[in-house]
Amino acid sequence: MDTPLSSALVLPVDVTPRTRWIFIQLSDADGTSGFGEATYGKNSIAVVEIANKLAASLVGSTPAKALAALPKPKTIVESAAISGLDQALHDLAARSQGMSIATLIGGERRHKIGLYANINRRTRDRTPAGFANSAQVAIDAGYTAFKIAPFDEVTPEGCAEAGFNAALDRGLARIAAV
């Protein structure tokens, strides 16, 4: 944990046309690396810029000093970048001590963690049938809970417009299909 950071890498990965994941790798002078994830879909370019700037400022510090030096976020974009760096620093600290992050932060609390299938991004056919087909793929893989974002046509501006109820009904039909 006392070995200073020697490098930082912020890596955006375009997973789909609508999805960019942002990974952070921090390595120490002994060659141990810790990893974090800083994805925030609405402004990934700004997250990458902030994470790169902050990560570069941490190189040369020990993980403990780097954790203490992380600023308090002022925006959700800063929160995403700082959260990814915090994860990478904790991962690096745990790995350098030969333990899991769970052990580092106090030990295992559960033996099982419930999972859900996020079928929203895989659903290209945005009809109710398209959502139902995506849900069936997830069911076939063993999932019993789902996350979707079915209200494609509903916007804050549209709430006052005449077509709002029809837009709402399309989302509700997608939910009913799932």
Side-chain angles (χ1 to χ4, degrees), residues 147-171:
K147 176 182 174 184
I148 62 174
F151 297 101
D152 295 352
E153 300 83 6
V154 176
T155 65
E157 303 79 29
C159 290
E161 295 176 2
F164 174 72
N165 286 339
L168 191 61
D169 287 343
R170 285 191 287 279

Side-chain angles (χ1 to χ4, degrees), residues 61-138:
S61 298
T62 64
K65 287 182 181 174
L67 275 167
L70 287 176
K72 297 256 187 251
K74 295 182 182 102
T75 67
I76 194 163
V77 173
E78 287 179 359
S79 292
I82 292 166
S83 174
L85 289 163
D86 182 87
Q87 292 166 43
L89 288 164
H90 277 91
D91 188 35
L92 178 58
R95 288 173 188 259
S96 68
Q97 296 176 55
M99 64 177 69
S100 69
I101 291 178
T103 301
L104 179 76
I105 63 173
E108 186 178 307
R109 301 264 198 275
R110 295 180 187 93
H111 295 290
K112 285 180 141 186
I113 298 174
L115 298 176
Y116 63 84
N118 182 344
I119 63 171
N120 190 61
R121 296 276 169 109
R122 79 167 307 280
T123 306
R124 305 250 188 244
D125 174 0
R126 305 298 286 178
T127 65
F131 272 84
N133 289 337
S134 285
Q136 188 61 56
V137 169

Side-chain angles (χ1 to χ4, degrees), residues 6 14 20 24 39 48 52-54 59 68 72 80 88-89 93 101 105-106 122 129 141 143 159 176:
S6 61
D14 291 327
R20 173 177 283 166
I24 298 172
T39 301
V48 170
N52 270 318
K53 181 180 174 187
L54 288 172
V59 172
K72 297 256 187 251
L89 288 164
I101 291 178
I105 63 173
R122 79 167 307 280
Y143 290 92
C159 290

